């Protein structure tokens, strides 16, 4: 057997490890496999820490915003200041809870106004661990009825869709990701076109002909054509319009604040909506191929 | 000879050893913070803490085999946490090579000075992004731009954070 000089061993190991990973990439592309088992293990192991970290960071942030940032403004005596600081700390905690209650109340109001739509509230506990994909991680998963391809929204607008559901957590691809997209239309002119991400804060609306009239600030809403989101949910507003070769280049500012998401709603199924619409229109249609089965309703 | 390090025959560069479990805990902490911090502080998404940890331990351990294996593990964990749109191996390949390069360079240069750490981290960050773009273009057929001003800003931000983070991680070394 040919002996490898010791100084070359690490180089051989490097080549071996790289080849192994390239093969792993090739297998994933060829079989469209996503290495689910490895991901389930990793997410299962890390999500409890993320959950704890999310609450911890939230607490520290609230303290920072409401306590330390204001600490230097007080000019009172040390004794009063100590008492004051203790009170501020209490207020901070209460403010944090009040802000959370406000957000949850907004979610609940929205939830109640859309009583016919099965949805579940979830807390954002993490983001993608890199810049290659714009994802967030939720604290609810398959056990709560969440399945792949379900839509995710806030009362402000569309957030994205579930790309992976684990037993106790799920990952959501944000609308701003390059591979994301939603069936949309302009609220006034009713011109339809998919809205997708570019990996930047603004979205892009495609396939709107140069002849169609589009106004700056015009609202963009869901069209319901993607069979994930119901019609008329806010997607964003037109922020930039440029004439293109054949179609306009339209940039859309997302309605939901995708950079500061703390609680979201997951649409548990679109099928019941479709059935309800069909009953209303008296025009029954078969469900689309590959449509997700309605999960067990688990509501927050 | 001090138990905390030994001297490599010709290179006369210290090989640092760390407290038990320090590398594992620091790596997991970097991954958790990377996944949690941007929710509350959106601007921190520009940082790549797992990369900084890979570079630090590569430069300190100065063993190419250890460096590349640590890079591979960190990269694959980062792939796993980045959602199914990121194939397993994208960060894995990039961090494997960075781990190898960091430990190889660490064995030849003194990398204890903050200025050296700043320059090396900025260079490694750019190389890491270059490897990701290369993998995307060649293996995944996903066209990505090679260069942007955002990359320069991100490299400088990561290098600046690395200077302070590395000082913190120095405390995990055995004396």
């Amino acid at each position: 057997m040919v002996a490898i000089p010791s100084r070359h061993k690490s180089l051989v190991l490097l080549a071996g490890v790289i080849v192994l990973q390239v093969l792993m990439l090739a297998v994933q592309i060829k079989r469209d496999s996503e290495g689910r088992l490895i991901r389930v293990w990793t997410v299962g192991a890390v999500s409890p820490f993320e959950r704890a970290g999310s609450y911890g960071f939230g607490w520290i942030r609230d303290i920072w915003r409401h306590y330390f940032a204001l600490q230097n403004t007080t000019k009172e005596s040390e004794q009063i200041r100590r008492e004051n600081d203790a009170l501020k700390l209490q207020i901070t905690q209460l403010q944090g809870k009040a802000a959370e209650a406000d957000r949850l109340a907004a979610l609940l109001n929205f939830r109640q106004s859309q009583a016919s739509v099965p949805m579940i509230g979830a807390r954002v506990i993490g983001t993608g661990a890199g810049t290659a994909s714009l994802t967030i991680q939720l604290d609810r998963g398959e056990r709560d009825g969440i399945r792949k391809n379900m839509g995710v929204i806030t009362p402000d607008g569309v957030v994205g869709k579930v790309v992976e559901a684990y037993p106790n957590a799920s990952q959501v691809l944000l609308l701003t990701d390059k591979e994301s997209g939603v069936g949309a239309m302009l609220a006034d002119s009713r011109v339809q076109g998919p809205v997708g991400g570019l990996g930047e804060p603004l979205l892009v609306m495609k396939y709107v002909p140069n002849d169609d009239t589009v106004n700056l600030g015009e609202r963009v809403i869901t069209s319901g054509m993607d069979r994930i989101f119901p019609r008329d949910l806010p997607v964003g507003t037109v922020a930039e319009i440029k004439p293109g070769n054949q179609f306009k280049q339209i940039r859309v500012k997302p309605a939901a604040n995708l950079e500061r998401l703390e609680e979201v709603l997951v649409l548990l199924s679109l099928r019941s909506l479709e059935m309800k619409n069909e009953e209303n229109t008296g025009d029954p249609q078969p469900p689309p191929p590959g449509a997700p089965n309605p999960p067990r309703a688990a509501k927050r | 000879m001090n138990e905390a390090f030994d001297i490599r025959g010709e290179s006369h560069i210290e090989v640092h050893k760390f407290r038990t479990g320090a590398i594992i805990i620091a790596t997991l902490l970097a991954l958790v913070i990377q996944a949690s911090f941007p929710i509350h502080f959106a601007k921190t998404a520009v940082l790549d803490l797992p990369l900084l940890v890979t570079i630090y331990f590569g430069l300190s351990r100065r063993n190419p085999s250890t460096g590349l294996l640590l890079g591979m593990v960190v990269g694959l964990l980062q792939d796993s946490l980045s959602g199914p749109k990121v194939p397993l191996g994208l960060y894995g390949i990039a961090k494997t090579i960075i781990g190898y390069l960091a430990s190889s360079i660490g064995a030849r240069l003194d990398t204890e000075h903050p200025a050296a750490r700043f320059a090396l981290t900025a260079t490694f960050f750019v190389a890491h992004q270059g490897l990701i773009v290369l993998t995307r273009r060649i293996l995944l057929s996903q066209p990505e731009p090679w260069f942007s001003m955002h990359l320069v800003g991100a490299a400088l931000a990561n290098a600046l954070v690395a200077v302070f983070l590395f000082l913190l991680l120095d405390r995990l070394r055995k004396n």
Side-chain angles (χ1 to χ4, degrees), chain A residues 56-77:
Chain A
F57 288 137
W59 186 79
I60 291 167
R61 184 204 54 195
D62 288 344
I63 296 285
W64 180 264
R65 280 186 187 164
H66 300 294
Y67 179 69
F68 288 106
L70 298 174
Q71 198 180 35
N72 291 331
T73 59
T74 179
K75 303 285 183 190
E76 295 174 6
S77 69

Side-chain angles (χ1 to χ4, degrees), chain A residues 13-27:
Chain A
L13 184 63
L14 175 69
V17 165
I18 297 288
V19 168
L20 204 69
Q21 291 184 83
V22 169
L23 287 175
M24 193 162 68
L25 271 177
V27 167

Side-chain angles (χ1 to χ4, degrees), chain A residues 207-223:
Chain A
Y207 310 125
V208 175
N210 282 328
D211 302 337
D212 285 324
T213 308
V214 182
N215 299 314
L216 272 177
E218 190 170 349
R219 285 191 320 118
V220 180
I221 55 175
T222 51
S223 65

